[in-house]
Amino acid sequence: MLPALEGLSVSDPAVGEWLAATGRSAAALEDLAQRRPRCGLARALVVLANDEALDDATLRGELVQAHRDAGEAGARDQSLVYAIYLFTHRHYQATADHLIVHFAQFPADEIAGSMLGSFALAGPLEYREHGQALTEQQYALAGPESWPWASWLAGARAEQGRPDDAWALAEHALRINPRSGPAVHARAHAEHDHGTGPACTAFIDTWLTADPHALQRRHLQWHAALQSIAAGDFADARRRADTELHHGDVGMRSATNWRLLLAGQTPARIAGLEHVHRLLGEPGGWAEVFHTFQLALGLAVAADTDALQDLARRAADDPRADYSEVLAPVALALAHITAGSPGRAVDLLTALGDRTERIGGVRVEREIIQDTLARALIDAGQPQRAAHLLHHRTTTRRHHTYEKLLLTGRATSGPGRKSGSS
């Protein structure tokens, strides 16, 4: 096991709260910055915790000052502040590149580990895979008693399709620190692959009872909604979407509702169509392919075929390959489904194959493309192909009412129609 890093680390209670993503983390970092007003890293961590609420000028000003202050603390703090600058400015490839160098100089640095998400957000699959390998390497260097690294490796194992390993690592981290939000999140991913249904929702509800303001509350409730769908408790899924996901959670709300519609169920309250159009009209709506894909799901839930076709055309003309080669056919397939032409959607989604991984997000989030293909195959009169597509899920998941409904033919107008939504 490596010796503890000098300066701020997980041993500081405020940093521990932040790494665990507890409901007290932002306030704890504010207190830390007040206790150590000349600590540039403490200032930068406050920015990292609140970056979405800061305007560009404030964000840059705070981090420039933090970098100056970090000069007194040495190379590690300066490197971390620079990483935070890149990460909060959404320069994810540059962040990942910088972290590789940082870990070579400062192995197993937990604060740097909090930005591992940059590898998945960077875009190319090679970055995602390198981030997973780097996480495994840093965990080995940190040692098994490092609950942050155990938590992050659990997440990496879930992404690699190794739910048993992910579950074991998450439980190991939670034994060391029961409040580790990243460990709970990793376990939720493992539970999704196992289809644990009510066992998962009960675990999440119990865990959140002890920290109702945990930073990942809404995302964990989304995972719980998916497990309610898996077990056929659609009323609970709608309740969680309506009470836990707010207006800004367009992606999670749309992903929940599209699954409900694919299974022939009434959706929860849908994200406002005008809001989705507004987001697509802003530069941020096209900054990351996965975010644009989530907005496309919002259009599909609202059965806005024309807007989906427009989105597909714009994506096809985009110079970024992930947009033109992956998002464009996915959006067009969604348009065909909402227009009642599942056969065309089948052709588009089948041709994509494994390239759907380039849409971004994590496995649980990308799985909805497979769900859509299964529904389209059934509606196009190809039940055997649909059953083969979902065979692994229906034979390994404890609860798979959702998959059974995807494989059930029905004489309705199909998903995307607005009947029953509000």
Side-chain angles (χ1 to χ4, degrees):
M1 184 182 301
L2 294 173
L5 291 165
E6 295 182 2
L8 291 180
S9 70
V10 69
S11 61
D12 185 290
V15 176
E17 295 272 0
W18 163 247
L19 295 177
T22 73
R24 287 199 64 258
S25 58
L29 289 178
E30 293 279 3
D31 291 342
L32 173 64
Q34 291 179 8
R35 286 189 282 110
R36 301 181 61 173
R38 296 292 300 277
C39 179
L41 181 54
R43 179 190 288 267
L45 286 172
V46 171
V47 172
L48 183 57
N50 298 284
D51 71 303
E52 292 185 1
L54 302 176
D55 59 65
D56 290 342
T58 303
L59 184 69
R60 185 178 188 281
E62 285 293 304
L63 290 176
V64 167
Q65 183 60 51
H67 197 261
R68 290 197 194 100
D69 292 343
E72 300 179 13
R76 182 217 173 206
D77 281 29
Q78 283 188 308
S79 178
L80 284 170
V81 172
Y82 183 58
I84 291 170
Y85 180 92
L86 293 172
F87 190 80
T88 55
H89 282 78
R90 310 296 191 265
H91 301 319
Y92 295 121
Q93 281 196 26
T95 306
D97 291 339
H98 179 73
L99 287 178
I100 292 170
V101 176
H102 181 90
F103 284 124
Q105 295 177 301
F106 308 101
D109 190 334
E110 301 104 339
I111 292 178
S114 69
M115 291 174 277
L116 284 167
S118 59
F119 287 90
L121 294 166
L125 293 180
E126 312 88 75
Y127 273 87
R128 189 186 308 165
E129 293 167 357
H130 190 86
Q132 292 165 359
L134 186 66
T135 304
E136 182 173 5
Q137 177 191 62
Q138 299 305 304
Y139 174 67
L141 292 170
E145 294 309 305
S146 173
W147 62 263
W149 283 108
S151 301
W152 296 324
L153 184 57
R157 291 291 186 249
E159 272 302 281
Q160 292 168 336
R162 298 167 58 178
D164 291 338
D165 292 339
W167 194 308
L169 278 163
E171 287 299 285
H172 171 68
L174 289 168
R175 281 193 292 272
I176 301 170
N177 180 8
R179 302 316 308 162
S180 173
V184 171
H185 185 205
R187 177 172 154 172
H189 278 250
E191 298 220 35
H192 182 87
D193 281 338
H194 284 303
T196 56
C200 177
T201 59
F203 168 72
I204 288 174
D205 288 342
T206 299
W207 190 83
L208 285 174
T209 297
D211 186 5
H213 301 294
L215 296 185
Q216 294 176 305
R217 179 187 179 93
R218 297 202 304 273
H219 191 70
L220 290 174
Q221 289 285 7
W222 176 72
H223 275 283
L226 295 192
Q227 283 308 293
S228 290
I229 291 174
D233 191 347
F234 304 112
D236 185 68
R238 286 190 289 267
R239 178 187 65 79
R240 291 179 191 271
D242 286 339
T243 60
E244 297 287 347
L245 304 181
H246 64 47
H247 182 65
D249 295 323
V250 174
M252 289 188 288
R253 291 185 67 84
S254 299
T256 303
N257 280 329
W258 186 240
R259 283 175 169 88
L260 287 167
L261 285 166
L262 289 175
Q265 304 299 311
T266 301
R269 290 195 300 271
I270 65 173
L273 189 56
E274 291 183 3
H275 182 52
V276 176
H277 280 291
R278 184 166 61 253
L279 292 174
L280 280 169
E282 298 172 353
W286 289 81
E288 297 168 21
V289 65
F290 182 68
H291 179 52
T292 315
F293 165 64
Q294 289 182 305
L295 296 178
L297 288 178
L299 297 177
V301 170
D304 196 338
T305 304
D306 291 341
L308 281 167
Q309 291 173 334
D310 289 342
L311 189 155
R313 281 191 290 268
R314 180 174 172 182
D317 292 335
D318 197 291
R320 294 167 292 183
D322 291 343
Y323 282 78
S324 59
E325 297 174 7
V326 184
L327 178 62
V330 168
L332 188 56
L334 292 172
H336 286 316
I337 288 175
T338 60
S341 302
R344 294 182 178 182
V346 166
D347 293 340
L348 287 163
L349 295 179
T350 302
L352 274 176
D354 292 341
R355 283 186 294 158
T356 54
E357 288 194 13
R358 290 164 49 191
I359 207 78
V362 295
R363 291 176 69 248
V364 173
E365 294 166 321
R366 293 191 300 272
E367 190 177 82
I368 201 169
I369 300 176
Q370 187 181 65
D371 302 346
T372 303
L373 175 55
R375 179 77 262 162
L377 283 165
I378 290 294
D379 291 345
Q382 301 182 56
Q384 290 184 330
R385 286 183 62 190
H388 177 74
L389 181 69
L390 299 187
H391 177 74
H392 177 73
R393 287 158 59 172
T394 56
T395 55
T396 60
R397 295 185 176 179
R398 194 176 311 162
H399 292 274
H400 46 77
T401 298
Y402 172 58
E403 283 81 7
K404 287 181 178 178
L405 287 172
L406 289 179
L407 298 175
T408 301
R410 59 182 188 271
T412 66
S413 58
R417 302 306 179 187
K418 297 182 194 176
S419 59
S421 62
S422 59

